[in-house]
Amino acid sequence: MIYADLCTDHYPWTEIMVDLEARQTAGFSGVLDAVQGERWARFVWARGQCLGGFTGGGQAVGWAQTHGGLPRARVRLGECPAPVSAVIWTSRAARAGQLAGRWPDTQLILKHEQFYGLLVSEERCSVWESGQVLAGQVPDSGALCVAYSPNTPENREPLLRFWRDLLAAVHHNVSLDEVWQQTCVRLSAEHPCLDPFVHDVTLRGGVLNVDPGVAVGEFRPALQTALRAALLGLGVGLDNLALGNLPSRPEWAAAGLGGPVTGAAPLRRPVGR
């Protein structure tokens, strides 16, 4: 925590903005929260880039709205690693989902599904990427957990579109068919939907097909694992491929593929400065 419960009655927004501009120039990664009564706004930075601001339900807010709508705010600023900022930003509109079972049994599910998002239990919150904890506090033993993730059944079609576009783009750079089949055979014990004899998930000529009966929690980690293994077998990395705007799409970060996170609201000085 850099500062907490800073009141804009005594330390005005203009001074806070000057401080934020200096930190941004220095490559700041972190989160600013501003609260006034029931109104609140959160802004997120990663490596000196202001990714944007949001409020309830992930609704976007800008600096002008924040200054005007929260003139007497309590402000908190915290620093965190850039990957944590990315998870917070991409999970901003995620809906709460109650997990079956209790901690730590639920950890096995999160690891298998390569969970990406926020895990909340009472006052404890942890940030996850690819089934691993990046930051925060895990639940107490025996606690029920609520997950916030962009990778939900409601987002099935956007997730499938992203993976179809990604695998088609990768195949355009390097032929995937043969190594993909070999990879799926090797991974089918861990991810049954990849079993080439079942045809739940197929890739031919760079065209991905996923059976409607395969859940998001099954196909997403399977595709993520298979792509990484296939590229490793080919001796190439995603950074070396021409993938167009795919790394800028929100599903990219939520797939745990690393790389850039697109900024949506650059930091602006208040009018009059």
Side-chain angles (χ1 to χ4, degrees):
M1 190 63 63
I2 296 172
Y3 47 77
D5 204 30
L6 195 68
C7 182
T8 55
D9 276 344
H10 306 295
Y11 196 82
W13 272 115
T14 51
E15 298 302 321
I16 292 174
M17 295 298 287
V18 169
D19 176 63
L20 292 175
E21 288 166 6
R23 294 182 188 279
Q24 180 170 289
T25 301
F28 174 69
S29 294
V31 176
L32 178 138
D33 289 319
V35 181
Q36 181 176 328
E38 295 184 355
R39 293 183 171 185
W40 62 272
R42 168 170 285 178
F43 286 82
V44 185
W45 287 260
R47 300 183 184 92
Q49 182 183 24
C50 183
L51 303 179
F54 64 95
T55 185
Q59 180 180 345
V61 294
W63 289 107
Q65 290 172 285
T66 303
H67 303 151
L70 307 173
R72 307 184 67 185
R74 297 279 179 176
V75 180
R76 177 175 60 190
L77 181 68
E79 191 170 12
C80 63
V84 174
S85 294
V87 176
I88 293 171
W89 176 247
T90 53
S91 302
R92 64 192 181 279
R95 298 178 180 178
Q98 182 77 49
L99 296 183
R102 296 177 181 270
W103 188 266
D105 295 339
T106 49
Q107 186 175 11
L108 298 175
I109 299 173
L110 297 175
K111 185 176 181 179
H112 177 73
E113 296 188 355
Q114 298 186 28
F115 176 66
Y116 180 100
L118 309 175
L119 186 69
V120 178
S121 176
E122 296 180 348
E123 296 183 356
R124 291 176 174 243
C125 178
S126 50
V127 181
W128 294 63
E129 181 182 45
S130 298
Q132 302 293 324
V133 179
L134 295 181
Q137 295 180 310
V138 298
D140 289 325
S141 181
L144 295 171
C145 309
V146 175
Y148 294 83
S149 174
N151 300 319
T152 64
E154 291 80 9
N155 288 338
R156 178 187 176 87
E157 288 309 310
L159 288 169
L160 278 175
R161 281 197 300 272
F162 169 77
W163 277 103
R164 289 186 183 113
D165 292 346
L166 175 60
L167 291 174
V170 172
H171 184 75
H172 183 73
N173 285 262
V174 291
S175 180
L176 274 179
D177 282 3
E178 183 176 352
V179 69
W180 184 269
Q181 294 299 323
Q182 296 169 353
T183 300
C184 287
V185 170
R186 195 168 68 252
L187 294 175
S188 60
E190 180 183 356
H191 299 283
C193 67
L194 294 178
D195 188 333
F197 298 102
V198 177
H199 305 298
D200 281 342
V201 175
T202 61
L203 183 72
R204 295 188 181 91
V207 178
L208 172 70
N209 283 294
V210 177
D211 187 274
V214 182
V216 171
E218 294 180 70
F219 77 72
R220 196 190 68 83
L223 293 175
Q224 184 177 338
T225 303
L227 177 60
R228 286 176 170 168
L231 291 177
L232 183 63
L234 291 168
V236 298
L238 285 173
D239 292 344
N240 305 121
L241 304 179
L243 300 176
N245 71 338
L246 283 164
S248 299
R249 285 167 59 172
E251 296 89 357
W252 178 280
L257 298 174
V261 177
T262 302
L267 180 64
R268 300 292 184 187
R269 292 195 176 199
V271 176
R273 287 199 59 83

PDB file of all heavy atoms in Angstrom, residues 68 76 86 91 93 108 132 134 143 231 238 249:
ATOM      1  N   GLY A  68     -15.565  14.508 -11.238  1.00  0.00           N
ATOM      2  CA  GLY A  68     -16.857  15.166 -11.062  1.00  0.00           C
ATOM      3  C   GLY A  68     -17.810  14.389 -10.179  1.00  0.00           C
ATOM      4  O   GLY A  68     -18.554  14.976  -9.390  1.00  0.00           O
ATOM      5  N   ARG A  76      -7.293   5.301  -2.215  1.00  0.00           N
ATOM      6  CA  ARG A  76      -6.283   4.322  -1.810  1.00  0.00           C
ATOM      7  C   ARG A  76      -5.478   3.929  -3.040  1.00  0.00           C
ATOM      8  O   ARG A  76      -6.047   3.661  -4.104  1.00  0.00           O
ATOM      9  CB  ARG A  76      -6.971   3.097  -1.210  1.00  0.00           C
ATOM     10  CG  ARG A  76      -6.018   1.970  -0.816  1.00  0.00           C
ATOM     11  CD  ARG A  76      -6.782   0.849  -0.128  1.00  0.00           C
ATOM     12  NE  ARG A  76      -7.810   0.291  -1.010  1.00  0.00           N
ATOM     13  CZ  ARG A  76      -8.742  -0.564  -0.603  1.00  0.00           C
ATOM     14  NH1 ARG A  76      -8.798  -0.945   0.662  1.00  0.00           N
ATOM     15  NH2 ARG A  76      -9.628  -1.043  -1.460  1.00  0.00           N
ATOM     16  N   ALA A  86      -3.009  -7.138 -14.652  1.00  0.00           N
ATOM     17  CA  ALA A  86      -3.691  -7.659 -15.837  1.00  0.00           C
ATOM     18  C   ALA A  86      -4.895  -8.510 -15.462  1.00  0.00           C
ATOM     19  O   ALA A  86      -5.960  -8.414 -16.085  1.00  0.00           O
ATOM     20  CB  ALA A  86      -2.717  -8.476 -16.688  1.00  0.00           C
ATOM     21  N   SER A  91     -10.660  -9.116 -15.395  1.00  0.00           N
ATOM     22  CA  SER A  91     -11.749  -9.741 -14.628  1.00  0.00           C
ATOM     23  C   SER A  91     -12.751  -8.708 -14.124  1.00  0.00           C
ATOM     24  O   SER A  91     -13.632  -9.040 -13.339  1.00  0.00           O
ATOM     25  CB  SER A  91     -11.174 -10.520 -13.427  1.00  0.00           C
ATOM     26  OG  SER A  91     -10.270 -11.510 -13.844  1.00  0.00           O
ATOM     27  N   ALA A  93     -15.389  -7.246 -15.253  1.00  0.00           N
ATOM     28  CA  ALA A  93     -16.832  -7.439 -15.471  1.00  0.00           C
ATOM     29  C   ALA A  93     -17.274  -8.856 -15.157  1.00  0.00           C
ATOM     30  O   ALA A  93     -18.406  -9.233 -15.479  1.00  0.00           O
ATOM     31  CB  ALA A  93     -17.185  -7.086 -16.916  1.00  0.00           C
ATOM     32  N   LEU A 108      -7.818 -28.185  -6.317  1.00  0.00           N
ATOM     33  CA  LEU A 108      -7.541 -29.163  -7.358  1.00  0.00           C
ATOM     34  C   LEU A 108      -8.314 -28.832  -8.633  1.00  0.00           C
ATOM     35  O   LEU A 108      -7.798 -28.975  -9.747  1.00  0.00           O
ATOM     36  CB  LEU A 108      -7.902 -30.572  -6.873  1.00  0.00           C
ATOM     37  CG  LEU A 108      -7.128 -31.089  -5.661  1.00  0.00           C
ATOM     38  CD1 LEU A 108      -7.669 -32.447  -5.209  1.00  0.00           C
ATOM     39  CD2 LEU A 108      -5.635 -31.198  -5.984  1.00  0.00           C
ATOM     40  N   GLN A 132      -2.503 -21.010 -10.837  1.00  0.00           N
ATOM     41  CA  GLN A 132      -1.517 -20.719  -9.801  1.00  0.00           C
ATOM     42  C   GLN A 132      -1.825 -19.379  -9.139  1.00  0.00           C
ATOM     43  O   GLN A 132      -2.296 -18.444  -9.797  1.00  0.00           O
ATOM     44  CB  GLN A 132      -0.100 -20.667 -10.394  1.00  0.00           C
ATOM     45  CG  GLN A 132       0.331 -21.947 -11.089  1.00  0.00           C
ATOM     46  CD  GLN A 132       0.489 -23.115 -10.135  1.00  0.00           C
ATOM     47  OE1 GLN A 132       0.917 -22.938  -9.002  1.00  0.00           O
ATOM     48  NE2 GLN A 132       0.156 -24.315 -10.600  1.00  0.00           N
ATOM     49  N   LEU A 134      -1.039 -15.842  -7.865  1.00  0.00           N
ATOM     50  CA  LEU A 134      -0.068 -14.777  -8.104  1.00  0.00           C
ATOM     51  C   LEU A 134       0.115 -13.886  -6.884  1.00  0.00           C
ATOM     52  O   LEU A 134       1.213 -13.401  -6.624  1.00  0.00           O
ATOM     53  CB  LEU A 134      -0.511 -13.899  -9.288  1.00  0.00           C
ATOM     54  CG  LEU A 134      -0.578 -14.533 -10.676  1.00  0.00           C
ATOM     55  CD1 LEU A 134      -1.016 -13.488 -11.693  1.00  0.00           C
ATOM     56  CD2 LEU A 134       0.775 -15.116 -11.065  1.00  0.00           C
ATOM     57  N   ALA A 143     -13.393 -23.379   4.033  1.00  0.00           N
ATOM     58  CA  ALA A 143     -14.214 -22.242   3.598  1.00  0.00           C
ATOM     59  C   ALA A 143     -14.829 -22.479   2.225  1.00  0.00           C
ATOM     60  O   ALA A 143     -14.267 -23.174   1.378  1.00  0.00           O
ATOM     61  CB  ALA A 143     -13.366 -20.976   3.565  1.00  0.00           C
ATOM     62  N   LEU A 231       3.708 -25.974 -29.743  1.00  0.00           N
ATOM     63  CA  LEU A 231       4.709 -24.972 -30.115  1.00  0.00           C
ATOM     64  C   LEU A 231       6.086 -25.354 -29.582  1.00  0.00           C
ATOM     65  O   LEU A 231       7.105 -25.126 -30.244  1.00  0.00           O
ATOM     66  CB  LEU A 231       4.295 -23.592 -29.607  1.00  0.00           C
ATOM     67  CG  LEU A 231       3.073 -22.974 -30.295  1.00  0.00           C
ATOM     68  CD1 LEU A 231       2.718 -21.636 -29.652  1.00  0.00           C
ATOM     69  CD2 LEU A 231       3.319 -22.785 -31.786  1.00  0.00           C
ATOM     70  N   LEU A 238       5.006 -18.053 -29.325  1.00  0.00           N
ATOM     71  CA  LEU A 238       3.969 -17.145 -29.823  1.00  0.00           C
ATOM     72  C   LEU A 238       4.538 -15.783 -30.181  1.00  0.00           C
ATOM     73  O   LEU A 238       4.051 -15.129 -31.107  1.00  0.00           O
ATOM     74  CB  LEU A 238       2.866 -16.991 -28.758  1.00  0.00           C
ATOM     75  CG  LEU A 238       1.898 -18.166 -28.591  1.00  0.00           C
ATOM     76  CD1 LEU A 238       0.998 -17.931 -27.391  1.00  0.00           C
ATOM     77  CD2 LEU A 238       1.063 -18.366 -29.840  1.00  0.00           C
ATOM     78  N   ARG A 249      -6.623  -8.685 -27.775  1.00  0.00           N
ATOM     79  CA  ARG A 249      -7.984  -9.049 -27.409  1.00  0.00           C
ATOM     80  C   ARG A 249      -8.037  -9.494 -25.950  1.00  0.00           C
ATOM     81  O   ARG A 249      -7.076 -10.078 -25.432  1.00  0.00           O
ATOM     82  CB  ARG A 249      -8.497 -10.145 -28.338  1.00  0.00           C
ATOM     83  CG  ARG A 249      -8.840  -9.594 -29.720  1.00  0.00           C
ATOM     84  CD  ARG A 249      -9.062 -10.641 -30.773  1.00  0.00           C
ATOM     85  NE  ARG A 249     -10.134 -11.574 -30.475  1.00  0.00           N
ATOM     86  CZ  ARG A 249     -10.580 -12.480 -31.348  1.00  0.00           C
ATOM     87  NH1 ARG A 249     -10.055 -12.534 -32.563  1.00  0.00           N
ATOM     88  NH2 ARG A 249     -11.542 -13.326 -31.008  1.00  0.00           N
TER      89      ARG A 249
END
